[in-house]
Amino acid sequence: MSIAFLNTIIKNKLIDNQNRTLAEPDFQNFINSWGITQLDKDFADLTIKSLKGGWPFKQKEQPNRVLQNFEPKTVSEQIALKVLITPDFGIEQGHLELAKYYEKKNDYIKAYQEYNALIHTIPHEIEFYEKAATMLLTIKDYNSAEKILQQSLRSVSYTHLR
């Protein structure tokens, strides 16, 4: 949406067109750093399916069996379903479980992404920064690991100032 707004602003000459390259940010890089993983997408998709499985999309008399009939095809879908049907198991626990699963599979990039999602969800929890940094160190991405650890220090400082 923001790119559409920017293009409309430029098209209507509300800003100088020569500054276009300066004004247009790297959205793909921004999206990649949001802290949203496939688990979040699967959770959202399954939530929408469940909502659409009941009233007002179906008659009130018809039971909503979307979650009971759902057959997960991936670990991410299994965990998304678990989050929706288990009262004491939230999306944060889902990210942590999936991160540990990826670690066991030696998929350190996906494990990092799950820990990064937790950092975005609970920014004052230092454990997630440490685990994310450990994943980055494992794949020898030292610069990104350093950034995560610096970010954790800012988070701790901010938390203690409050």
Side-chain angles (χ1 to χ4, degrees):
M1 276 184 15
S2 57
I3 288 176
F5 280 119
L6 177 62
N7 288 334
T8 301
I9 289 169
I10 292 170
K11 182 180 173 184
N12 291 303
K13 300 181 189 323
L14 297 174
I15 62 172
D16 188 358
N17 194 24
Q18 68 182 351
N19 292 330
R20 179 186 177 99
T21 55
L22 297 175
E24 193 169 319
D26 178 3
F27 282 103
Q28 193 56 48
N29 187 36
F30 183 70
I31 289 168
N32 291 340
S33 66
W34 273 354
I36 296 173
T37 69
Q38 189 60 47
L39 176 59
D40 298 298
K41 295 172 188 174
D42 290 341
F43 175 77
D45 288 344
L46 193 51
T47 300
I48 291 167
K49 286 178 186 175
S50 178
L51 290 170
K52 291 175 83 175
W55 183 86
F57 302 99
K58 306 272 190 214
Q59 297 297 320
K60 282 186 182 181
E61 302 79 37
Q62 293 179 334
N64 184 342
R65 301 205 187 281
V66 169
L67 297 179
Q68 292 90 332
N69 296 335
F70 182 73
E71 294 183 24
K73 295 176 183 68
T74 66
V75 174
S76 179
E77 287 181 349
Q78 288 175 336
I79 293 174
L81 179 62
K82 184 177 177 180
V83 170
L84 282 167
I85 64 174
T86 308
D88 295 331
F89 189 82
I91 193 74
E92 293 84 8
Q93 289 92 345
H95 282 294
L96 194 55
E97 185 174 305
L98 193 53
K100 289 177 182 179
Y101 168 83
Y102 288 137
E103 279 187 72
K104 287 179 184 170
K105 294 287 189 180
N106 297 327
D107 193 341
Y108 302 114
I109 293 172
K110 285 189 178 178
Y112 160 76
Q113 291 169 340
E114 297 304 323
Y115 290 126
N116 188 44
L118 287 163
I119 289 169
H120 281 79
T121 306
I122 311 169
H124 58 275
E125 183 55 59
I126 299 306
E127 173 190 359
F128 304 138
Y129 293 93
E130 292 171 353
K131 290 189 178 285
T134 300
M135 296 303 102
L136 293 168
L137 290 170
T138 303
I139 61 171
K140 298 181 179 10
D141 186 349
Y142 303 117
N143 290 332
S144 296
E146 180 184 10
K147 287 178 187 173
I148 289 287
L149 293 172
Q150 290 291 338
Q151 186 182 350
S152 75
L153 293 174
R154 286 190 297 276
S155 177
V156 171
S157 298
Y158 178 75
T159 303
H160 289 289
L161 290 174
R162 291 160 77 205

